[in-house]
Amino acid sequence: MTQKRNIVVKIGSALLANQDLLTPRYGFLQRLLEDIAVLRSQGFNVILCSSGSVALGLRIIGETPDSAGVSDKQAAAACGMPLLLNAYKQVGHEFGFEIAQVLLTLGDFEDHRRFLNTRNTVHRLLESGIVPIVNENDTITTEEIRVGDNDRLAAKVSQMVGASDLIILTGVDGLYDRNPDDPEAQFVPEVVDVNQYMDATKGKSTLGTGGMETKLQAANMAQEAGVTTWIAQGEIDRPLSTVLNGERRATKVIPNPNPLSGWDSWIANRLQMAGSIVLSEQTADALGQDDRPISRSDILSMDGDFTRGDVLHVYDSKGIERARGLSDFTSEELRVLIHNPDTAAEQLLGYKTRGEIIRSNNLVMLENRHLLWEAPEAVVG
């Protein structure tokens, strides 16, 4: 039996909610779900990453996108989610399929066990012919534990399910080399290196939390997992199949021809920085050679509060990010190790350990494949 091709679709709030009335846009949902039904009949699995719950709930709590604070948006999400799911369910039934809700937080992506549990749930839903609708659990998340945008959430879901394609539906027909309002702006049909377009992507939509910048960040995460990303206008008949069939204009972000393994992709593609360490330039140059781990003697400074198993961002002394890897110690333990370089790790920590901060098999070199993160003011506290 041929394995079905998984497609992840991210839909922005402006497509799902009327900007003035803050009510569901049923016409768009009809076109979208009809097209999903066609793709499913052709053997595709479709996973939706849907915004819209906050926007749809604002009217109920008497707020607007401009007036709503964090607690207002959390309350709006609680009110809007039933409206959003009811709209999907009603229209989905017209085309003969069921939907299921999967609410996630940052920890469901950043903790590997929870990541695998979530993946198993989504795969089980797909096996039953159900369309999973994935969203961040905006009712309970705060800035510290937020993914923050559904573009990168969709990229993580694409990685999670081994998708072939990520389609990001938005209000424009793709990426331009500058602000599309500029009369000299040129459409970009294909992207290999997203870095060259990041400066042209500032700004966001009125209802949403992300703009073109987060879409390119998501595309970079997807391409390193071997996923093709499409950025396309959502206001069209057959919004998905016309993209996949090349029937209309859309920006295609080419996947890396040598994608990372699932494990390395999970390590390298982060949504938040748990902590960071700084190495000398000489030590950083030697990373990735001869299965070399990172030891405490390699570390010049560190930053952040993290636990064992969190991913650390590794910088050289010039502040350039070189790698990401799993820490074998908590931040408190690492501080003790760094402050006492001449004392055995077992004596300091009270348990048997090899003292390797990041093991070689838990270290991923970035090698110009990823968008790099700026280094924090890293100091040993």
Side-chain angles (χ1 to χ4, degrees):
M1 182 176 178
T2 304
Q3 185 175 3
K4 290 188 175 182
R5 179 173 160 190
N6 293 335
I7 298 171
V8 175
V9 181
K10 185 269 176 176
I11 309 135
S13 295
L15 291 171
L16 289 161
N18 181 291
Q19 190 161 338
D20 297 320
L21 301 176
L22 299 178
T23 53
R25 300 183 67 239
Y26 280 97
F28 168 76
L29 284 172
Q30 287 275 351
R31 294 190 294 273
L32 173 71
L33 297 192
E34 182 177 17
D35 206 18
I36 288 175
V38 171
L39 291 177
R40 281 162 51 88
S41 71
Q42 296 171 352
F44 294 96
N45 284 325
V46 180
I47 301 99
L48 293 178
C49 291
S50 176
S51 303
S53 62
V54 173
L56 293 177
L58 286 173
R59 178 179 56 84
I60 298 174
I61 66 168
E63 297 289 344
T64 67
D66 293 330
S67 68
V70 173
S71 61
D72 298 322
K73 292 178 180 178
Q74 290 175 319
C79 295
M81 186 55 72
L83 290 176
L84 180 65
L85 267 293
N86 183 59
Y88 274 119
K89 194 170 188 68
Q90 284 183 351
V91 181
H93 277 177
E94 291 185 33
F95 299 105
F97 61 83
E98 296 286 347
I99 58 122
Q101 180 184 43
V102 181
L103 288 178
L104 303 175
T105 63
L106 180 72
D108 297 313
F109 291 108
E110 305 293 72
D111 179 276
H112 195 247
R113 180 178 295 179
R114 289 162 65 182
F115 179 86
L116 294 178
N117 287 339
T118 303
R119 184 181 69 179
N120 291 340
T121 297
V122 173
H123 278 309
R124 183 64 187 86
L125 292 170
L126 294 175
E127 287 172 6
S128 296
I130 297 167
V131 175
I133 299 180
V134 183
N135 197 1
E136 184 164 16
N137 194 348
D138 292 311
T139 297
I140 65 170
T141 52
T142 61
E143 285 303 316
E144 291 75 20
I145 60 170
R146 278 181 60 79
V147 174
D149 63 89
N150 277 338
D151 296 315
R152 293 183 306 145
L153 181 146
K156 292 294 286 185
V157 172
S158 300
Q159 171 201 345
M160 177 186 291
V161 301
S164 61
D165 298 87
L166 165 61
I167 302 176
I168 300 177
L169 295 181
T170 184
V172 294
D173 52 0
L175 173 69
Y176 286 77
D177 64 354
R178 66 196 74 183
N179 190 312
D181 294 334
D182 187 327
E184 297 185 2
Q186 297 293 313
F187 178 77
V188 180
E190 192 169 280
V191 176
V192 175
D193 181 7
V194 301
N195 280 285
Q196 66 186 103
Y197 297 105
M198 292 305 293
D199 289 342
T201 61
K202 307 304 178 185
K204 64 181 183 180
S205 68
T206 304
L207 289 178
T209 55
M212 193 58 70
E213 181 179 17
T214 65
K215 290 168 178 55
L216 286 190
Q217 290 171 346
N220 179 245
M221 295 168 67
Q223 68 182 159
E224 293 314 314
V227 181
T228 300
T229 299
W230 307 84
I231 303 172
Q233 166 67 259
E235 289 286 3
I236 190 171
D237 289 339
R238 299 167 52 232
L240 306 178
S241 55
T242 52
V243 170
L244 295 172
N245 296 335
E247 297 177 32
R248 65 184 176 105
R249 189 155 83 165
T251 295
K252 180 181 182 180
V253 184
I254 305 298
N256 194 299
N258 300 302
L260 298 174
S261 68
W263 175 244
D264 285 353
S265 184
W266 178 81
I267 290 175
N269 293 311
R270 311 313 297 161
L271 295 169
Q272 271 193 9
M273 186 186 296
S276 63
I277 56 176
V278 176
L279 313 179
S280 70
E281 202 163 349
Q282 182 179 8
T283 302
D285 286 341
L287 290 180
Q289 301 175 15
D290 302 321
D291 295 329
R292 187 188 189 283
I294 295 177
S295 303
R296 60 171 163 167
S297 59
D298 297 327
I299 299 174
L300 301 179
S301 59
M302 60 170 284
D303 183 76
D305 294 311
F306 48 87
T307 63
R308 186 175 186 273
D310 278 346
V311 173
L312 302 183
H313 294 237
V314 181
Y315 295 87
D316 64 23
S317 54
K318 292 183 178 180
I320 298 173
E321 189 181 14
R322 298 291 199 93
R324 293 170 192 167
L326 290 187
S327 175
D328 261 16
F329 301 97
T330 68
S331 52
E332 292 82 1
E333 289 173 330
L334 185 51
R335 287 188 176 91
V336 169
L337 292 172
I338 294 175
H339 277 305
N340 300 277
D342 299 324
T343 306
E346 292 183 25
Q347 184 177 341
L348 290 170
L349 302 179
Y351 60 85
K352 189 173 182 178
T353 174
R354 296 170 62 181
E356 295 176 352
I357 309 307
I358 300 178
R359 304 179 200 182
S360 60
N361 61 330
N362 290 333
L363 183 69
V364 179
M365 304 304 299
L366 300 185
E367 301 175 325
N368 300 320
R369 294 167 59 114
H370 296 77
L371 290 172
L372 304 182
W373 291 33
E374 291 185 8
E377 293 295 326
V379 295
V380 177

